[in-house]
């Protein structure tokens, strides 16, 4: 009989470039980067705008609303920390501001998830980092 | 006026090592085996080779040092290239351009990979991020925190969106898997030669819905090398030449940016325009397809993007065995990456050469005038293609 060791999930550790995102998450705000030259909103954290290559940007709080762009239901056990979650959803949320975010939906059964459904951000707090999840709006 | 690259070069040599659970040889040794086989196949001498293009697979076991291991001296063309699954087609493209420009004559393009280790599962090599540090730094950690692992995930996400937008059904993916297995049964090089039914397909375990195990490609150790030569020289060599009539690339860019339709409109669309224009053909002229098939869905969306059917019509298009033996559009005629062997873009390319030579044995397609060969890499991120023909012009 094998005993499964409880393995912690591989949560992100904020680095300098992503710190405003994770600081915002701690306070319940979904932070994106907005180009000061052309106005394009992008997912953190890259120095250059992927539309005009400007390096001038500001951090802006997103609405936290979006729609399910697409999703999959994971059955494969890639990582021991997810063994008890299988099958779980892997979802890409298209934010109201345009960029897409990889995440999981909570508060909904796998079989109820639909492409295009409206969702809103929720926050999963861990000891030293907060992760965005989404739930049906 | 015909494009100057149309028919300028031909593939004259093909070398394939044993593929699959092949152990005891490094990627470099496998690559050298494949190169020796390709040179002999072409009827060339090693000294005739003046170009070497290298593509290490996921195990990254090849370096520029392959030149020295093989004892090539005085090469006029050398590079270690990587555009993932589109590299094989791209290597033939760059070789053809260099030959047409007079920079080299006989260019070896080689791929070798050893992702499989004895006693480890096939999927382990493509786990991507599953072996990440316990605390990945920065935004990439959102992927690991979400359990977004493996190459399987983005392809499942893409397939799901296609199903939702266009009504594509699980059976349509199954049609592709079943048709390709029928080809593999006739291919002595294939790893999976047991017949497969639609029931077998549906019974195979889920990896990540909507992908069953049988929607996903194999993982293989092995190597394949091809030689590209001037067309003017090709007919004097040992094998029937397979001429390069067209080529193209398309790379759609970041999946996460606003407005991207990466899931359902791939780089194949852009590549097709370039390649069809160069070859002076359209989809109706293609007799055989050898399409990169990391997943069944990749085949379906690629068929759409090359204009064999309209956008969103890929599901109904593959019904009724259209892609299988005896079907109207023979596709992945060796079983492809799903059922034969996974040598990245060398899988479709090697089978295209075999069919172009008329060397397919039991599975040879009678009409082989125009063969479309594609490569795809990343998350439908990189695409390259070749249009090949047994005819010089």
């Amino acid at each position: 009989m094998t005993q499964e060791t409880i393995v912690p999930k591989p949560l992100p550790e904020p680095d300098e470039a992503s710190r405003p995102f994770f600081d915002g998450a701690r306070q319940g705000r979904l932070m994106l980067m907005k180009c000061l030259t052309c106005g394009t909103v992008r997912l953190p954290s890259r120095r250059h705008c992927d539309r005009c290559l400007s390096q001038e940007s500001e951090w802006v709080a997103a609405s936290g609303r979006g729609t399910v762009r697409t999703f999959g239901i994971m059955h494969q056990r890639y990582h021991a920390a997810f063994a008890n979650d299988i099958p779980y959803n892997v979802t890409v949320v298209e934010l109201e501001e345009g960029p897409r975010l990889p995440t999981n939906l909570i508060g909904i059964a796998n079989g109820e998830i639909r492409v295009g459904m409206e969702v809103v951000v929720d926050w999963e707090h861990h000891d030293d980092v907060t992760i965005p999840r989404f739930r049906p709006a | 006026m015909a494009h100057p690259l149309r028919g300028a070069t031909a593939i004259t040599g093909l070398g394939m090592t044993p593929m699959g659970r092949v152990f005891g040889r490094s990627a470099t040794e496998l690559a050298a085996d494949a190169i020796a086989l390709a040179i002999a196949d072409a009827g060339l001498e090693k000294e005739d080779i003046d170009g070497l293009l290298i593509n290490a697979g996921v195990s990254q076991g090849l370096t520029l040092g392959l030149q020295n291991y093989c004892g090539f001296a005085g090469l006029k063309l050398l590079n270690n290239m990587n555009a993932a699954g589109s590299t094989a087609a791209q290597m033939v493209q760059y070789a053809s351009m260099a030959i047409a420009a007079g920079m080299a004559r006989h260019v070896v393009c080689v791929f070798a990979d050893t992702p499989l280790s004895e006693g480890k599962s096939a999927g382990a090599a493509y786990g991507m991020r599953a072996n990440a540090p316990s605390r990945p730094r920065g935004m990439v950690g959102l992927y690991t925190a979400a359990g977004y692992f493996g190459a399987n995930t983005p392809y499942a996400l893409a397939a799901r969106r296609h199903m939702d937008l266009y009504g594509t059904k699980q059976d349509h993916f199954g049609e592709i898997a079943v048709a390709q297995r029928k080809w593999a049964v006739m291919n002595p090089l294939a790893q999976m030669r047991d017949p497969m039914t639609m029931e077998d397909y549906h019974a195979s375990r889920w990896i990540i819905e909507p992908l069953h195990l049988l929607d996903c490609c194999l993982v293989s150790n092995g190597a394949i090398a091809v030689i590209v030569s001037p067309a003017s020289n090709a007919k004097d060599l040992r094998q029937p030449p397979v001429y390069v009539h067209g080529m193209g690339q398309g790379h759609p860019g970041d999946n996460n940016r606003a407005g991207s339709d990466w899931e359902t409109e791939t780089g194949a669309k852009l590549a097709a325009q370039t390649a069809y224009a160069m070859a002076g053909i359209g989809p109706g002229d293609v007799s055989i397809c050898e399409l990169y098939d990391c997943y069944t869905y990749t085949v379906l969306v690629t068929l759409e993007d090359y204009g064999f059917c309209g956008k969103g019509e890929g599901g109904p298009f593959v019904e009724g065995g259209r892609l299988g033996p005896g079907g109207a559009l023979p596709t992945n005629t060796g079983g492809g990456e799903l059922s034969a062997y996974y040598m990245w873009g060398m899988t479709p390319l090697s089978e295209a050469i075999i069919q172009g030579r008329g060397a397919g044995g039991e599975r040879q397609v009678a009409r082989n005038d125009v063969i479309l060969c594609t490569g795809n890499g990343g998350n439908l991120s990189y695409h390259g293609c070749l249009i090949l023909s047994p005819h010089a012009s």
Side-chain angles (χ1 to χ4, degrees), chain B residues 114-135:
Chain B
T114 54
L116 295 173
S117 311
E118 278 184 282
K120 282 198 180 164
S121 82
Y126 284 88
M128 277 88 165
R129 301 191 194 98
N131 306 317
S134 57
R135 297 296 301 267

Side-chain angles (χ1 to χ4, degrees), chain B residues 250-324:
Chain B
H251 311 285
D254 185 0
N255 296 343
N256 285 329
R257 76 171 191 279
S260 166
D261 283 316
W262 71 275
E263 302 98 333
T264 53
E265 305 223 351
T266 74
K269 218 168 177 175
L270 200 54
Q273 291 173 16
T274 311
Y276 283 152
M278 192 182 295
I281 64 159
D285 299 307
V286 173
S287 24
I288 302 173
C289 284
E290 305 296 349
L291 307 180
Y292 199 94
D293 57 323
C294 45
Y295 299 89
T296 51
Y297 174 68
T298 315
V299 176
L300 188 146
V301 73
T302 303
L303 287 166
E304 293 178 357
D305 287 338
Y306 276 91
F308 292 101
C309 59
K311 180 50 64 186
E313 297 170 1
F317 183 78
V318 303
E319 285 176 358
R322 187 191 296 260
L323 309 185

Side-chain angles (χ1 to χ4, degrees), chain B residues 81-107:
Chain B
M81 306 182 66
N82 185 14
S86 73
T87 316
Q90 289 199 27
M91 290 195 293
V92 174
Q93 296 177 4
Y94 295 121
S96 294
M97 289 185 251
I99 291 165
M103 284 181 64
R105 278 184 67 75
H106 298 290
V107 179

